[in-house]
Amino acid sequence: MTLQHAHTLTKAAVLELSGIEKIYRTDSLETVALANINIAIEQGEFVSIMGPSGSGKSTLLNVLGLLDAPSKGVMRLHGMDVTKLKENAIAQVRNQEIGFIFQSFHLVNDLRVLDNVEIPLLYRKGLSGSERKQLALEAVQQVGLSSRTKHFPSQLSGGQQQRVAIARAIVGKPKLLLADEPTGNLDSAMGDEIMNILHTLNREHGTTIAMVTHDERLAAQTDRVIRIFDGQQVA
Ligand SMILES: Nc1ncnc2c1ncn2[C@@H]1O[C@H](COP(=O)(O)OP(=O)(O)O)[C@@H](O)[C@H]1O
Ligand SMILES: [Mg+2]
């Protein structure tokens, strides 16, 4: 066994990126959004990703979450090379393993809270309507919004809307949660509520979390900070 194999066996990396590069090409312009990114995120870790605006944080999170394919490099999820998977296999892995939270919540405005939370389960085979509803109720309860299941997003505060988005992200019990500036649109009290929920998911459910943030105070509450500048990792 090589040293590298021993390393991957003992450390149980959820995600391993080696030599990841992402280039966006539009007309005449080429943007190197990520260059030679090498990251391993271990099971149960809560990491934050920091860097100036335009440095590649969202691109990195989208690559981590299989929303966007890298231009170069290898990415392994639980040891499996996901850069080789076909689009429908990627969609399935994404749906079962990964939950997303965005700065602007991305809720469906004409669906009630419970129906928003159920959405990821609609893509799961073998779940009945009542099983979906039960799981959605549990997720809503986990974020403390059981009294709001029939509300529409517009009837909720920003912090409550983000809690609905978290419930939707965790309803399928993903092992990995990715959050792109989840507190960026919230005041600090609401932001702290969101952080408390993330910490609980990490500690009590063992969910691995990667969170982009501009806030050094929030980053300091996480296990480790990955810093990006101009698409490159900085020490
Ligand atoms: N879909 C895209 N097409 C072309 N360029 C993009 C696209 N998304 C991001 N970029 C460019 O890639 C760089 C990194 O963007 P991004 O990852 O959004 O940065 P951050 O999240 O750190 O603000 C920026 O220069 C941005 O303009
Ligand atoms: Mg961004």
Side-chain angles (χ1 to χ4, degrees):
M1 194 189 307
T2 65
L3 246 177
Q4 206 179 358
H5 282 126
H7 175 83
T8 54
L9 286 178
T10 50
K11 283 265 184 117
V14 176
L15 273 169
E16 262 186 303
L17 283 67
S18 5
I20 289 290
E21 190 178 291
K22 178 69 187 180
I23 298 174
Y24 289 112
R25 291 189 176 86
T26 47
D27 299 329
S28 56
L29 194 67
E30 209 175 69
T31 306
V32 181
L34 295 175
N36 193 27
I37 299 287
N38 300 286
I39 296 173
I41 299 176
E42 285 160 37
Q43 188 82 55
E45 256 196 312
F46 189 166
V47 302
S48 41
I49 298 166
M50 298 197 80
S53 183
S55 59
K57 304 180 299 294
S58 293
T59 302
L60 175 59
L61 212 67
N62 290 345
V63 167
L64 288 174
L66 309 181
L67 284 175
D68 211 348
S71 312
K72 210 173 130 186
V74 174
M75 185 165 96
R76 290 196 165 82
L77 181 69
H78 302 296
M80 171 180 59
D81 183 354
V82 287
T83 39
K84 293 215 167 69
L85 294 179
K86 298 232 159 50
E87 187 45 54
N88 56 349
I90 287 176
Q92 197 173 344
V93 171
R94 194 166 51 217
N95 179 259
Q96 300 199 346
E97 307 272 341
I98 304 169
F100 280 94
I101 312 165
F102 302 94
Q103 178 172 4
S104 48
F105 323 133
H106 291 193
L107 297 175
V108 182
N109 286 323
D110 56 3
L111 289 183
R112 295 176 193 277
V113 164
L114 202 65
D115 297 323
N116 262 284
V117 172
E118 247 190 75
I119 291 172
L121 300 179
L122 299 175
Y123 303 91
R124 295 267 176 109
K125 292 190 186 97
L127 279 179
S128 70
S130 63
E131 285 169 326
R132 284 202 304 268
K133 190 166 181 202
Q134 185 54 36
L135 287 167
L137 281 169
E138 284 169 24
V140 167
Q141 190 174 18
Q142 261 184 284
V143 299
L145 281 179
S146 297
S147 62
R148 297 288 187 278
T149 55
K150 295 213 167 79
H151 285 59
F152 288 99
S154 62
Q155 299 171 316
L156 302 175
S157 71
Q160 288 171 331
Q161 290 187 48
Q162 191 62 301
R163 280 148 68 189
V164 175
I166 294 178
R168 182 184 56 188
I170 64 174
V171 73
K173 306 191 192 304
K175 296 187 193 74
L176 176 65
L177 194 56
L178 301 174
D180 196 348
E181 305 195 42
T183 66
N185 280 354
L186 304 176
D187 65 35
S188 67
M190 283 185 185
D192 286 343
E193 273 181 36
I194 297 305
M195 284 304 287
N196 285 339
I197 294 172
L198 296 182
H199 280 297
T200 302
L201 286 167
N202 176 246
R203 275 197 219 106
E204 291 174 20
H205 299 263
T207 309
T208 308
I209 304 178
M211 173 185 76
V212 171
T213 181
H214 271 117
D215 191 333
E216 289 283 356
R217 189 179 62 94
L218 301 186
Q221 297 173 21
T222 66
D223 297 328
R224 178 160 62 103
V225 183
I226 295 167
R227 289 180 196 275
I228 306 284
F229 192 86
D230 261 357
Q232 314 224 28
Q233 270 168 278
V234 288

